[in-house]
């Protein structure tokens, strides 16, 4: 049995080549509420405008797998569209698993997708921060001598099991 790979898509910058990428203003988002009144800077989780905050504008997503799918180069996704875009991207990985299994006479035993959410530290919006697709593909190995012996033993066990003695 051969098992397929784990594929993932995360915003660009935190976990090696994956994660969230922030601009230079990201450090100012962690303002103490008591300092907010003195400095005029909004505190963590405060939505000051209807548009995207600077952190959300600069967040980029990138795929870290070795498959031919979307988001191979970093791209921006708005927080409102992140769920559907990440979900569609992870569906590409599932589709690739079925294609790969069909090409090599295998069978997809399991395919699961997990979406991850996060909260923007600047504006407090919840967004889909990435996803992981796990696929398991089973390939039959007819040239393996152990597999051939197992098939022979199964054939011996079943021999005579369905005999019609009425003549």
């Amino acid at each position: 049995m051969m098992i397929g790979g784990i594929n993932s898509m995360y915003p660009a910058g935190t976990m090696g080549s994956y994660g969230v990428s922030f601009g230079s203003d990201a450090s100012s988002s962690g303002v103490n509420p008591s300092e907010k009144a003195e400095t005029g800077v909004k505190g963590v989780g405060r939505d000051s405008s209807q548009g995207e905050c600077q952190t959300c504008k600069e967040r980029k997503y990138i795929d870290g797998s070795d498959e031919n799918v979307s988001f191979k180069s970093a791209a921006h996704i708005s927080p409102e569209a992140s769920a559907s875009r990440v979900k569609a991207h992870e569906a590409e990985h599932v589709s690739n698993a079925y294609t790969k299994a069909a090409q090599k006479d295998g069978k997809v035993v399991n395919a699961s997708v997990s979406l991850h959410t996060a909260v923007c530290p600047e504006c407090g919006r919840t967004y889909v921060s990435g996803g992981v697709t796990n696929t398991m593909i089973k390939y039959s190995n007819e040239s393996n001598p152990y597999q051939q012996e197992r098939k022979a033993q199964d054939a011996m066990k079943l021999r005579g099991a369905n005999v019609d003695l009425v003549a």
Side-chain angles (χ1 to χ4, degrees), residues 5-84:
I6 296 174
N7 309 306
S8 60
M9 178 182 153
Y10 285 99
T14 59
M15 302 175 18
S17 64
Y18 323 118
V20 179
S21 175
F22 296 106
S24 58
D25 295 336
S27 61
S28 66
S29 65
V31 175
N32 186 343
S34 64
E35 295 174 17
K36 181 179 80 167
E38 298 169 10
T39 62
V41 177
K42 65 180 182 163
V44 175
R46 305 292 189 259
D47 193 4
S48 65
S49 68
Q50 298 297 351
E52 286 184 347
C53 69
Q54 191 64 26
T55 303
C56 289
K57 284 180 185 176
E58 294 178 5
R59 185 177 302 114
K60 295 187 182 284
Y61 291 75
I62 189 167
D63 178 69
S65 70
D66 57 356
E67 290 187 35
N68 186 17
V69 290
S70 58
F71 296 102
K72 289 316 261 180
S73 59
H76 171 72
I77 303 175
S78 70
E80 297 82 16
S82 63
S84 60

Side-chain angles (χ1 to χ4, degrees), residues 9 61 70-71 77 81-95 113-116 128-133:
M9 178 182 153
Y61 291 75
S70 58
F71 296 102
I77 303 175
S82 63
S84 60
R85 298 279 305 271
V86 172
K87 192 174 173 182
H89 170 82
E90 297 302 328
E92 289 180 59
H93 287 296
V94 173
S95 176
V113 174
S114 298
L115 298 181
H116 304 285
V128 174
S129 60
V132 176
T133 298

Side-chain angles (χ1 to χ4, degrees), residues 32 34 62 68 97 117 120 122 125 141 150 158 164-165:
N32 186 343
S34 64
I62 189 167
N68 186 17
T117 59
C120 178
E122 186 175 341
R125 270 190 208 149
N141 189 356
R150 182 175 177 208
L158 297 173
D164 186 11
L165 298 174

Side-chain angles (χ1 to χ4, degrees), residues 80-155:
E80 297 82 16
S82 63
S84 60
R85 298 279 305 271
V86 172
K87 192 174 173 182
H89 170 82
E90 297 302 328
E92 289 180 59
H93 287 296
V94 173
S95 176
N96 286 350
Y98 278 95
T99 302
K100 184 179 175 183
Q103 289 173 347
K104 298 182 180 178
D105 201 29
K107 180 181 177 183
V108 175
V109 179
N110 183 24
S112 64
V113 174
S114 298
L115 298 181
H116 304 285
T117 59
V119 177
C120 178
E122 186 175 341
C123 66
R125 270 190 208 149
T126 302
Y127 63 96
V128 174
S129 60
V132 176
T133 298
N134 293 308
T135 59
M136 187 183 315
I137 302 172
K138 181 179 178 183
Y139 296 99
S140 60
N141 189 356
E142 298 296 328
S143 63
N144 183 344
Y146 295 107
Q147 185 69 18
Q148 291 174 352
E149 181 63 28
R150 182 175 177 208
K151 281 181 129 181
Q153 288 178 359
D154 287 344

